[in-house]
Amino acid sequence: MTPPKILLFGKNGQLGWEAERQLFCMGDLFAYDYPQIDFTDPKKVVALLDDIQPDFIYNAVAFTAVDQAESEISKATLINSTTPGEIAAWCKRNQRSLMHFSTDYVFDGYLGRDYREDDLPHPLNVYGQSKLAGEQAILQSECTALIFRTSWVYSMRGESFVIKFLSWARDKDELRVVDDQIGNPTWARMLAQLSSCILPINKEDFSAFFDQNGGLYHLAGGGAASRLQWSQEILDNLTHEANIKTKNLAGAKTYEFPAPACRPLHSALNCEKYESTFGRKIPHWKLGLRLALDELAG
Ligand SMILES: NC(=O)c1ccc[n+]([C@@H]2O[C@H](COP(=O)([O-])OP(=O)(O)OC[C@H]3O[C@@H](n4cnc5c(N)ncnc54)[C@H](OP(=O)(O)O)[C@@H]3O)[C@@H](O)[C@H]2O)c1
């Protein structure tokens, strides 16, 4: 048995930081992030692949600033589409495997139910368009790849919605949060675990595993919620002194908070295909949130 050589891109992001802590015991791990590697320069990324010759690439890099993407279209396209497409082409040429992540924002949110993998994408913003183009470039390359679309990713580090909400709640007696955006709050650790625990342990098994299971899947926190429900659940689960001022949360509508990028209203993902293919149960988003908030207690 030979462990695989794994290359992780985006090790400092919400998902990548957690993924490194899963992948480091699954093979020989090489982990990079900006500025050691720059996805606006696809040639250099491909040169690194030639150099390292990984068996498997886990790509957690993305341009995720949804509003900023509206004015930085070429940068978002390079990072979310062009370079993932070049990585996929390299995988195809060298018979290696790729795991990549996409977003619920490939959908417009008008369907009125949770989205399945075969529902028609129709992004409302540049970020969603660039992520959809990335999916298509990978699928068209015909490399062996798993693409996981996920939604509302948060971690207890950095600038996630949970961290931002807690800082607002320390500041204000009452907060207004939108109740018309529905998604799946997804703890980055859960996403890292559920995406990596399915991988083979033996390098020789990778191509058969990806041949058999490759394709597009939805993978996000179980159940769905509005941003208001998510926020209320954060407040209800603070089991320690967090210096919170907020006593009341009030509902608001998305149109009351104008932003450069238009967001889908109901873009929650149906994740049954992941569960039935890989035989894993996705935990409810409320359980993930409770465990994530436990970390605040130290
Ligand atoms: N966050 C969400 O709510 C959400 C929702 C749905 C889907 N997703 C998808 O889930 C995946 C993981 O998202 P995430 O929340 O973990 O993202 P994230 O925290 O924003 O991390 C993205 C990583 O990419 C790196 N990066 C950005 N520009 C780069 C460049 N030019 N070259 C190399 N690296 C660069 C970032 O480095 P710097 O920090 O140095 O810029 C960061 O480490 C992505 O595919 C994303 O599209 C996320």
Side-chain angles (χ1 to χ4, degrees):
M1 275 214 332
T2 326
K5 200 189 259 191
I6 301 171
L7 176 54
L8 165 65
F9 283 131
K11 72 183 176 88
N12 297 332
Q14 299 193 90
L15 170 63
W17 195 85
E18 296 288 355
E20 185 169 15
R21 281 145 188 81
Q22 300 298 318
L23 298 171
F24 82 113
C25 55
M26 297 178 70
D28 293 328
L29 178 62
F30 297 74
Y32 289 83
D33 208 315
Y34 184 85
Q36 294 90 0
I37 193 70
D38 184 354
F39 268 41
T40 63
D41 191 345
K43 280 199 182 115
K44 280 207 182 131
V45 175
V46 170
L48 182 77
L49 299 178
D50 282 333
D51 200 27
I52 294 183
Q53 291 288 327
D55 300 303
F56 166 63
I57 298 159
Y58 187 109
N59 179 29
V61 164
F63 186 104
T64 53
V66 175
D67 288 321
Q68 213 176 310
E70 295 296 305
S71 52
E72 296 189 44
I73 299 175
S74 57
K75 187 173 177 189
T77 305
L78 273 171
I79 296 171
N80 291 340
S81 164
T82 314
T83 298
E86 291 295 326
I87 294 171
W90 184 91
C91 286
K92 174 70 179 166
R93 284 196 301 281
N94 294 278
Q95 295 179 300
R96 311 297 163 89
S97 307
L98 171 65
M99 188 176 283
H100 179 79
F101 293 83
S102 188
T103 174
D104 56 326
Y105 281 13
V106 299
F107 295 116
D108 60 22
Y110 298 137
L111 194 60
R113 61 157 169 79
D114 295 357
Y115 282 89
R116 306 178 68 92
E117 289 79 354
D118 51 7
D119 287 321
L120 202 63
H122 178 235
L124 299 178
N125 55 45
V126 169
Y127 167 71
Q129 285 157 5
S130 66
K131 294 295 292 184
L132 179 61
E135 291 179 3
Q136 289 166 343
I138 292 168
L139 294 172
Q140 280 160 16
S141 78
E142 296 184 345
C143 76
T144 51
L146 282 165
I147 302 174
F148 290 122
R149 283 188 190 137
T150 190
S151 156
W152 293 7
V153 179
Y154 67 92
S155 70
M156 299 314 290
R157 342 170 28 252
E159 283 291 294
S160 71
F161 176 78
V162 174
I163 297 291
K164 280 196 263 185
F165 175 78
L166 285 170
S167 83
W168 300 329
R170 287 188 188 106
D171 204 41
K172 296 226 157 45
D173 293 328
E174 180 165 318
L175 284 173
R176 299 178 70 236
V177 183
V178 296
D179 59 11
D180 58 351
Q181 285 180 33
I182 312 286
N184 321 81
T186 303
W187 186 23
R189 182 165 311 163
M190 185 212 77
L191 183 59
Q193 286 173 333
L194 288 179
S195 56
S196 55
C197 70
I198 56 173
L199 291 168
I201 51 171
N202 188 9
K203 156 185 169 155
E204 282 75 28
D205 297 335
F206 265 74
S207 69
F209 171 81
F210 276 82
D211 271 342
Q212 196 181 333
N213 302 302
L216 186 61
Y217 295 84
H218 290 173
L219 176 55
S226 69
R227 287 214 184 251
L228 179 64
Q229 288 168 323
W230 187 11
S231 305
Q232 188 62 58
E233 196 68 17
I234 297 171
L235 287 184
D236 293 348
N237 275 279
L238 292 173
T239 52
H240 68 294
E241 184 49 65
N243 299 319
I244 296 300
K245 259 194 185 175
T246 300
K247 303 277 181 303
N248 290 315
L249 287 182
K253 298 299 169 206
T254 299
Y255 68 77
E256 296 177 66
F257 299 92
C262 191
R263 283 157 172 80
L265 292 186
H266 185 140
S267 56
L269 301 172
N270 174 317
C271 301
E272 284 166 8
K273 181 182 169 193
Y274 171 93
E275 291 189 319
S276 61
T277 305
F278 299 110
R280 302 269 171 173
K281 177 92 186 95
I282 298 176
H284 197 274
W285 69 268
K286 287 186 181 181
L287 175 57
L289 181 64
R290 179 173 70 69
L291 295 177
L293 289 170
D294 277 353
E295 298 204 334
L296 286 180

